[in-house]
Amino acid sequence: MAVSANRLELLQIADAVAREKSIDRMVVIEAMQDAMEKAAKGRYGAETEIKVEINPRSGETRMWRLLEIVEEVEEPSRQVTLDYARTKSPQAKIGDFLTEPLPPMEFGRIAAQSAKQVIVQKVRDAERDRMFEEYAGRIGEIVNGSVKRVEYGNVIVDLGRGEAIIRRDELIPREMFRYGDRVRAYIYDVRREQRGPQIFLSRTHPQFMAKLFMQEVPEIYDGVITIRSIARDPGSRAKIAVTSNDSSIDPVGACVGMRGSRVQAVVAELQGEKIDIIPWTDNIADLVVSALQPADVAKVVLDEQAERIEVVVPDEQLSLAIGRRGQNVRLASQLIGWDIDILTEQEESERRQKEFTERSS
């Protein structure tokens, strides 16, 4: 292709690439200029300083050689003397650059291939920058995509304008995805890496559940109901504490929905994860009683300095309060942000008896 040739074709190519890759047209034109500069250096010598300019309106291409004005020439391909420069430009002075127009050149096969590589690389870099900027601003959102492939348990998701990854530890346990499956997940991180921007998704993040409730419960979206805390054991059980800014709206009832429709929609997305919804209160004692449901609590003792709570439950309620493999008390502790110790009434009675005996002796 001659540089001076088909001006319209150059602009049409730039427009087509910019549209296809969703990048700025000027980025493509600059990539073309860089490619032409590289190809011209192949003809005039790699040490030659060459400048190419494509007019973005007309497509007209101009090419110059830049020659530095020096007192004594050491590199003839890059430098000229002041005396010579002044024959071309009387105002020339040491340190300036003299521009020398070059004739239009034909790209040979190798030069054209080299130019193509430069354009492809520049466009790829611009595409990566665009993708990073777009998704870095979307951290904290839920996205929909389709499964592109599964590698070593990690799921690669096609988002349409980019690829994302759900690592194995960010998937709900026993969750299986195959090629083409639709998937919803939460963007929790976007990083620039050597092979381009990496978008990290999660289905186990507590905020994934919060965003799902926001989609299902209009009152949360509108800010009438606030999610104050979430604790999850992904795929098994979760506890969520909510509060209402409007005394006429029951936050728990609004999240559950008519016949449980709203909470069931979230449960279905989370592979059957059981969700306990409790009303948030700033009274820690009341909050821990609600958080340990379905167990009944007989007594609560707070150590505010150590942020520790001692909970006394009836003997027959101990296993219910602790939960399977400690799940109930662990989630309650995460929800409140305090450590919780559980005692039975008998254990507390024995301890008080022992303390009384020690004090008496």
Side-chain angles (χ1 to χ4, degrees), residues 42-195:
R43 167 175 290 190
Y44 294 104
E47 69 285 348
T48 310
E49 196 67 43
I50 290 173
K51 178 80 177 151
V52 173
E53 193 177 272
I54 300 171
N55 186 312
R57 288 173 178 271
S58 65
E60 184 188 356
T61 304
R62 296 163 67 200
M63 192 184 296
W64 306 274
R65 176 162 53 187
L66 298 178
L67 299 164
E68 189 182 1
I69 301 167
V70 294
E71 285 181 9
E72 196 173 323
V73 174
E74 293 176 359
E75 298 177 63
S77 60
R78 297 182 61 187
Q79 298 172 337
V80 290
T81 61
L82 182 60
D83 291 341
Y84 174 80
R86 282 192 170 153
T87 63
K88 304 285 184 182
S89 172
Q91 288 82 36
K93 56 182 187 289
I94 301 290
D96 284 355
F97 282 88
L98 183 70
T99 58
E100 201 174 80
L102 293 173
M105 60 169 278
E106 296 282 337
F107 279 141
R109 186 175 60 82
I110 293 171
Q113 192 62 34
S114 172
K116 184 184 175 186
Q117 285 170 0
V118 171
I119 292 170
V120 166
Q121 186 57 48
K122 288 271 183 185
V123 167
R124 188 179 292 134
D125 290 345
E127 209 177 352
R128 285 173 171 176
D129 287 344
R130 190 267 309 154
M131 188 170 141
F132 178 81
E133 296 301 331
E134 180 180 339
Y135 285 99
R138 294 181 63 187
I139 290 174
E141 287 184 19
I142 284 181
V143 287
N144 295 296
S146 61
V147 175
K148 200 169 186 181
R149 60 188 183 277
V150 179
E151 296 175 349
Y152 308 109
N154 303 321
V155 178
I156 312 301
V157 181
D158 183 359
L159 298 177
R161 291 177 62 173
E163 258 185 29
I165 182 169
I166 311 177
R167 291 196 297 220
R168 189 188 311 178
D169 56 345
E170 297 293 339
L171 287 166
I172 294 170
R174 299 176 299 283
E175 195 167 44
M176 296 291 290
F177 285 107
R178 295 186 188 84
Y179 171 77
D181 286 352
R182 296 295 297 168
V183 59
R184 266 205 290 186
Y186 174 81
I187 303 176
Y188 72 93
D189 197 10
V190 179
R191 293 182 216 149
R192 285 189 194 274
E193 291 191 3
Q194 200 67 41
R195 60 184 186 277

Side-chain angles (χ1 to χ4, degrees), residues 302-341:
L302 303 180
D303 180 347
E304 293 191 11
Q305 211 167 2
E307 291 199 338
R308 200 170 192 88
I309 304 169
E310 195 173 88
V311 176
V312 180
V313 298
D315 295 23
E316 70 279 2
Q317 295 276 313
L318 180 64
S319 59
L320 198 58
I322 292 172
R324 193 175 58 197
R325 296 193 296 276
Q327 185 186 64
N328 195 49
V329 69
R330 186 174 66 250
L331 289 175
S333 177
Q334 286 174 19
L335 190 77
I336 297 166
W338 288 40
D339 291 331
I340 300 174
D341 295 327

